[in-house]
Amino acid sequence: MRYSRIAGTGGYLPERVLTNADLARMVDTTDEWIVDRTGVRKRHIAAEGETTCDLAEHASRRALEAAGVGPGDIDLVVVGTATPDMIFPSTACLLQERLDIHDGPAFDLQAVCTGFLYALDIADKFIRTGSADRALVVGAETFSRIVDWTDRSTCVLFGDGAGAVVIEAAEVPGIVSTHLHADGRYQSLLNVPSGVSRRCDGAGSGYIQMAGSEVFRAAVKALDRIVDETLAANRLAKTDIDWLVPHQANTRIIAATAKKLDLPMSRVVLTVEDHANTSAASVPLALDCAVRDGRIRRGELLLLEAFGGGFTWGSALVRY
Ligand code: UT7
């Protein structure tokens, strides 16, 4: 059998930091409210002119270096993003050019906050079926560009960043299983309602709109179910999981998933405090942080999960 494994990880956050105190000067909010309700203390914001592809390039170079491979070794590029540089070409094609990778397929994947898990699932299948040997899988976002900075209910939640992994063919499973879902009936609860075909149909419609508490409840329920699904599919007990690497939308959502897994918070990778919600970048960024600081070690079993607009949600069980 042929499988894929993670060979290296990388992450990148833009230099500029926006704290809760900064936000309290922009909208009617407080550090206390933001920390209590979300866990976020600060977020990174891309500089003017700095794009999703710029962030993706930094994260990708770090992942390539960690994997000990060069651009010529990559035969597939998949970028999970809801904030591409251009309508087309895809950010993956722009990234390919930057990194001097040629000829292999490159495409973007849009599943909002679940984008990295969708991208990982697809790249794993390319490798398992022999269509690729080594893939660069990226989650990269500049959500600061679709945030309404006058809307306190959303602007405190998001940040910019990128995370990347290099995955390669292996004889034993590194990506053990992936589980993806979507349900478009919930599209109205979390969206940016303008687009190419629909165009902008009113003031503010180019910005994130979210029914926060409904999304919160749906996220907790969906992530609870995906934990059961992932464990059952692999005939595992909760105690088999070494680390939870969750999407970083809200500490309270993450704590509910950890409780479901009977995992202490010391076994959960938390970056929401410093990164806020970076959408598709949040899971690979959290993974990279915990790999680089030595918490996650080779051979450990990781549960990656995410939930986002669509709704989309998913998980990956990874033997690192
Ligand atoms: O990554 C994609 C998935 N996204 C998520 O998972 C996000 C899910 N939702 C959430 O994380 C939470 O629902 C939020 C953090 C967005 C909001 O927390 P909440 O506990 O659900 O608060 P709420 O929306 O019910 O609002 C409570 C109150 C309201 O005031 P009233 O109506 O009770 O007087 C809001 O107007 O808090 C008010 N509020 C704020 N107050 C101070 C909303 N935003 C703010 C703010 N500062 N920034």
Side-chain angles (χ1 to χ4, degrees):
M1 280 288 278
R2 194 178 146 98
Y3 303 97
S4 77
R5 66 180 277 274
I6 294 179
T9 67
Y12 182 76
L13 293 157
E15 262 173 46
R16 185 179 158 219
V17 171
L18 190 70
T19 65
N20 290 350
D22 295 330
L23 276 167
R25 286 188 284 274
M26 295 161 60
V27 290
D28 180 16
T29 191
T30 60
D31 175 57
E32 193 189 7
W33 190 96
I34 302 171
V35 173
D36 278 359
R37 302 291 179 114
T38 72
V40 179
R41 291 181 188 277
K42 57 189 171 73
R43 68 287 291 145
H44 291 249
I45 303 293
E48 189 144 354
E50 191 175 31
T51 68
T52 294
C53 188
D54 294 327
L55 309 187
E57 181 185 352
H58 287 295
S60 299
R61 288 192 190 283
R62 289 175 183 175
L64 290 168
E65 195 187 350
V69 300
D73 300 312
I74 300 293
D75 49 15
L76 169 68
V77 179
V78 191
V79 178
T81 187
T83 46
D85 287 27
M86 311 202 295
I87 292 165
F88 69 80
S90 67
T91 307
C93 284
L94 306 182
L95 180 64
Q96 218 197 15
E97 193 258 336
R98 296 272 188 95
L99 296 173
D100 207 18
I101 298 172
H102 303 288
D103 290 339
F107 55 90
D108 287 0
L109 209 147
Q110 217 281 49
V112 208
C113 299
T114 320
F116 175 76
L117 290 173
Y118 270 64
L120 188 68
D121 171 276
I122 301 267
D124 173 60
K125 289 184 166 96
F126 265 74
I127 291 179
R128 281 180 187 243
T129 55
S131 301
D133 290 325
R134 198 173 280 113
L136 175 64
V137 185
V138 184
E141 304 276 18
T142 44
F143 257 48
S144 62
R145 305 276 151 72
I146 52 168
V147 161
D148 176 355
W149 290 103
T150 65
D151 175 10
R152 71 174 184 173
S153 69
T154 53
C155 76
V156 301
L157 304 173
F158 297 97
D160 299 334
V165 297
V166 171
I167 63 169
E168 63 187 14
E171 284 171 9
V172 289
I175 313 295
V176 182
S177 70
T178 46
H179 307 269
L180 301 182
H181 296 278
D183 193 335
R185 284 176 297 179
Y186 299 99
Q187 54 166 297
S188 62
L189 297 179
L190 175 53
N191 60 34
V192 178
S194 69
V196 181
S197 182
R198 189 183 276 200
R199 296 188 184 275
C200 238
D201 54 6
S205 63
Y207 298 128
I208 296 167
Q209 306 191 349
M210 177 166 74
S213 49
E214 280 100 322
V215 175
F216 185 100
R217 282 196 296 274
V220 171
K221 273 193 206 151
L223 294 172
D224 185 277
R225 287 197 307 273
I226 208 130
V227 165
D228 286 336
E229 180 185 336
T230 311
L231 294 177
N234 295 284
R235 294 194 180 82
L236 291 175
K238 294 173 183 178
T239 48
D240 293 317
I241 303 296
D242 293 309
W243 291 98
L244 175 65
V245 187
H247 173 48
Q248 310 283 327
N250 187 315
T251 313
R252 291 183 290 141
I253 297 175
I254 295 171
T257 311
K259 190 165 174 231
K260 165 82 185 177
L261 275 164
D262 292 335
L263 268 185
M265 289 306 275
S266 58
R267 284 275 155 192
V268 178
V269 182
L270 266 187
T271 55
V272 62
E273 194 172 313
D274 298 326
H275 300 180
N277 181 348
T278 58
S279 182
S282 93
V283 171
L285 259 172
L287 175 64
D288 181 59
C289 283
V291 164
R292 279 177 195 263
D293 68 20
R295 270 178 292 169
I296 291 180
R297 292 162 193 236
R298 284 286 174 198
E300 289 186 318
L301 197 58
L302 323 178
L303 180 63
L304 280 48
E305 49 84 340
F307 179 92
F311 292 147
T312 56
W313 65 102
S315 69
L317 187 75
V318 174
R319 177 73 65 188
Y320 183 72

